[in-house]
């Protein structure tokens, strides 16, 4: 029985997030067979192999396995921004929206944001926000972007925009970080090689437990010098793990088997978008696996939609009073999409 079949027998179609996936049989076998050691001593061969593989994929010297994406992001930000100095990002960025104030609480980092436009960033706006040293102001030290953009409906930041942001960072002497939790989706959607993304950033965090379907883990990517310090920061934040090879093995299995199949998730998201579009609730064009819904003009608000859908066995995510989200993923098959589309269209039709 597949994971999707198991979901079907439980009577649920779960569109809340791509974090709800469970390891496949092949992934579980890889985890069971993993060679392990003590990763705090950097002696776990499976973790070391994962770190080397991800570093090479993005064209960097080194990488570090972390238990969560939030920890990976926060370590990366601390590598680029000293305490009391400034990070620029958009107002809906995960690093300032969903990480519970960690940049300030752990890193002493001051954050300033541009108005959120999802993936449609104007590099000139960002350049105009940079504060240099002096003038009795908090100096800017880094810029962070999110690829793909979660609250921007899975939008993909164009490669040209990222190159322009790299030039902005270089001209001002700033670091550039990529929250690449779903960068795999951007790679598949736009065909941009991962190494092309990697060469634009000083640090990246890439997630294994969303679209790729691993149960745990993200990887921080950067220079060897930065990763040496990142290891200390990870330990300080409670992220030092011992025989973590069983988790790293899941990540390596995901990289080998679950990247190219993301195109299936994109196609299923497009089908859901097509189903709900006639009701005027589609908040943005769907490029990847996220379907954003704006219920501002609908009869139901987001909690109401979620409750009505749950009553019929379909789970959706509520991001605000009138904002909902549908997410396709490894555990969702075509039958689940068909069922969800039928339920949602009936509810929206009223």
């Amino acid at each position: 029985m597949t994971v999707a079949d198991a979901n079907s027998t439980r009577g649920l179609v779960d569109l809340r997030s791509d974090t709800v996936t469970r390891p496949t049989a092949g992934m579980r076998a890889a985890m069971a067979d993993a060679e392990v050691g003590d990763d705090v001593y950097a002696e776990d061969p499976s973790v070391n192999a994962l770190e080397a593989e991800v570093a090479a994929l993005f064209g960097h010297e080194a990488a570090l396995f972390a238990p969560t994406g939030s920890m990976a992001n926060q370590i990366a930000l601390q590598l680029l921004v000293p305490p009391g100095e400034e990070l620029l990002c958009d107002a809906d960025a995960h690093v300032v929206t969903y990480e519970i104030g960690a940049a300030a609480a752990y890193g002493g980092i001051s954050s300033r944001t541009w108005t959120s436009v999802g993936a449609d960033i104007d590099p000139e706006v960002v350049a105009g926000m940079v504060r240099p040293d002096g003038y009795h102001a908090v100096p800017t030290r880094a810029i962070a972007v999110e690829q793909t953009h979660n609250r921007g409906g899975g939008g993909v930041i164009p490669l040209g925009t990222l190159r322009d942001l790299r030039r902005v960072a270089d001209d001002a002497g700033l670091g550039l970080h990529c929250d690449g939790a779903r960068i795999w989706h951007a790679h598949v959607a736009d065909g941009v090689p991962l190494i092309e993304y990697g060469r634009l950033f000083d640090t990246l965090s890439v997630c294994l437990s969303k679209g790729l379907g691993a149960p745990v883990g993200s990887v921080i990517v950067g220079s060897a010098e930065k990763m040496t310090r990142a290891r200390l920061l990870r330990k300080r934040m409670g992220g030092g793990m011992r025989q973590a090879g069983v988790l790293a093995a899941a990540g390596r299995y995901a990289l080998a088997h679950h990247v190219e199949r993301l195109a299936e998730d994109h196609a299923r998201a497009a089908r859901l978008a097509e189903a709900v579009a006639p009701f005027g609730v589609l908040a943005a064009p769907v490029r990847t696996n996220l379907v954003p819904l704006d219920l501002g003009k609908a009869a139901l608000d987001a909690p109401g939609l979620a409750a009505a859908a749950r009553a019929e066995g379909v789970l959706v995510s509520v991001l605000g009073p009138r904002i909902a989200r549908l997410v396709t993923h490894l555990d969702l098959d075509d039958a689940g999409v068909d069922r969800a589309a039928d339920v949602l269209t009936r509810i929206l039709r009223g």
Side-chain angles (χ1 to χ4, degrees):
M1 178 182 291
T2 67
V3 173
D5 289 337
N7 274 341
S8 178
T9 60
R10 295 205 321 270
L12 292 176
V13 178
D14 197 339
L15 303 176
R16 291 173 299 173
S17 178
D18 44 11
T19 61
V20 301
T21 59
R22 286 155 296 164
T24 62
M27 184 178 288
R28 290 174 187 268
M31 295 170 72
D33 291 341
E35 187 178 0
V36 300
D38 191 323
D39 184 48
V40 170
Y41 290 113
E43 294 175 355
D44 189 301
S46 297
V47 172
N48 293 343
L50 171 67
E51 292 170 346
E53 181 178 0
V54 175
L57 284 174
F58 289 93
H60 278 263
E61 290 181 320
L64 184 72
F65 186 46
T68 74
S70 292
M71 182 179 288
N73 273 331
Q74 294 305 320
I75 289 171
L77 296 183
Q78 290 178 62
L79 294 174
L80 300 179
V81 185
E85 301 188 352
E86 183 177 78
L87 171 74
L88 298 180
C89 62
D90 80 83
D92 277 342
H94 194 282
V95 295
V96 293
T97 303
Y98 291 120
E99 298 183 14
I100 321 298
Y106 287 109
I109 296 170
S110 178
S111 301
R112 193 156 48 93
T113 61
W114 62 83
T115 301
S116 181
V117 288
D120 299 324
I121 302 168
D122 183 345
E124 293 305 314
V125 169
V126 179
M129 294 178 65
V130 174
R131 288 174 174 161
D133 285 309
Y135 306 103
H136 307 286
V138 178
T140 306
R141 294 300 183 217
I143 301 164
V145 297
E146 190 174 327
Q147 180 77 307
T148 62
H149 198 291
N150 177 14
R151 289 185 64 89
V156 180
I157 305 172
L159 184 61
T161 299
L162 295 176
R163 287 173 173 160
D164 287 345
L165 286 170
R166 179 72 265 175
R167 284 191 285 271
V168 169
D170 288 344
D171 288 348
L174 308 180
L176 186 62
H177 171 65
C178 179
D179 173 0
R182 295 184 175 92
I183 199 168
W184 320 103
H185 287 280
H187 160 64
V188 170
D190 276 6
V192 175
L194 295 171
I195 199 167
E196 187 75 17
Y197 283 133
R199 64 167 52 105
L200 295 173
F201 295 98
D202 298 288
T203 56
L204 302 95
S205 65
V206 298
C207 188
L208 305 170
S209 63
K210 290 187 171 70
L212 298 193
V216 173
S218 286
V219 182
I220 312 153
V221 183
S223 68
E225 180 181 8
K226 282 184 171 63
M227 292 308 101
T228 296
R229 181 162 177 252
R231 182 172 289 274
L232 297 175
L233 293 171
R234 185 185 68 175
K235 188 71 163 63
R236 180 179 296 160
M237 296 173 73
M241 298 178 287
R242 300 299 180 173
Q243 287 70 39
V246 291
L247 302 177
R252 295 199 74 200
Y253 183 93
L255 291 172
H257 298 280
H258 294 166
V259 175
E260 296 308 318
R261 67 146 305 280
L262 293 174
E264 300 173 23
D265 295 342
H266 300 175
R268 289 172 178 140
R271 287 173 54 202
L272 286 171
E274 184 179 4
V276 301
F279 302 95
V281 297
L282 193 61
V286 171
R287 293 289 322 282
T288 54
N289 70 318
L290 306 185
V291 182
L293 304 181
D294 183 346
L295 300 164
K297 297 181 180 179
L300 281 176
D301 61 9
L305 175 68
R310 178 181 282 272
E312 298 199 44
V314 176
L315 308 182
V316 305
S317 182
V318 176
L319 302 185
R322 289 279 173 177
I323 303 296
R325 185 188 68 177
L326 317 175
V327 186
T328 56
H329 50 74
L330 181 65
D331 285 12
L332 180 69
D333 59 14
D334 288 332
V337 169
D338 290 340
R339 181 177 168 198
D342 177 65
V343 168
L344 292 169
T345 53
R346 281 192 286 105
I347 293 170
L348 291 168
R349 189 177 293 117

